[in-house]
Amino acid sequence: MTKPITVSTLFPELLRTVPEFERCVTRERENAEQSGGDPEDLDHMKLNPYSLAFDLFTVILVPALESPEAEGAQDLLARSFDLLERAALSSDAYVRDNLSLATEDFLLGDHGPTAYAHAGPAFRTLMTECMTAEGIEVPESWRA
């Protein structure tokens, strides 16, 4: 049974669903260590849905969307969009609002059609709402 997505469960659910996200955690630890911070203090990352979505989109999803034929890409996309679907259905408005912002910023451009093809109904709705809010015309094929 999966846990509902909230601010406090997003990070552990992300690591459970998309273990490849550990690369982002490692990068954060290395950055903290290089800047003299505590590499184990990841609260700024763990409790920031926008940052988590940004890293998921830019480090994990975009490469998989650009190379869907790569080994494991389809499984990675399925797991990632499963998490995004659950986040889009979250009762936590802070999670949904930040997911919307990150989607507007990083997933609607060139990768929008490919992402839409992999998305579940709730995340598709979120994507079309983001497009409308940004004044971007929603493709007719997305309205079906």
Side-chain angles (χ1 to χ4, degrees):
M1 177 83 182
T2 57
K3 293 182 179 182
I5 300 295
T6 64
V7 170
S8 62
T9 64
L10 180 58
F11 183 74
E13 282 297 296
L14 180 53
L15 286 176
R16 186 186 68 74
T17 307
V18 186
E20 294 87 346
F21 193 78
E22 186 62 41
R23 293 189 308 235
C24 300
V25 174
T26 299
R27 184 194 67 223
E28 283 295 314
R29 285 190 174 116
E30 290 169 354
N31 288 343
E33 201 168 77
Q34 290 172 358
S35 65
D38 180 358
E40 297 305 313
D41 180 13
L42 296 176
D43 285 347
H44 66 281
M45 178 186 195
K46 291 178 182 179
L47 301 175
N48 186 335
Y50 181 89
S51 176
L52 294 173
F54 168 85
D55 285 342
L56 177 63
F57 293 164
T58 60
V59 177
I60 307 292
L61 272 181
V62 168
L65 289 168
E66 290 177 345
S67 300
E69 69 287 341
E71 184 176 335
Q74 292 302 311
D75 178 58
L76 177 59
L77 288 167
R79 289 183 284 113
S80 297
F81 279 102
D82 173 67
L83 178 80
L84 291 170
E85 180 72 6
R86 291 187 291 131
L89 290 168
S90 175
S91 61
D92 188 325
Y94 186 68
V95 168
R96 284 192 327 277
D97 291 348
N98 279 276
L99 180 60
S100 292
L101 289 172
T103 299
E104 288 171 9
D105 290 346
F106 301 103
L107 206 56
L108 291 183
D110 295 339
H111 300 16
T114 309
Y116 189 85
H118 289 279
F123 193 70
R124 284 181 173 188
T125 298
L126 182 137
M127 288 180 75
T128 57
E129 289 171 353
C130 290
M131 290 181 78
T132 301
E134 288 293 305
I136 302 169
E137 187 170 337
V138 178
E140 194 60 41
S141 63
W142 290 21
R143 298 178 194 272

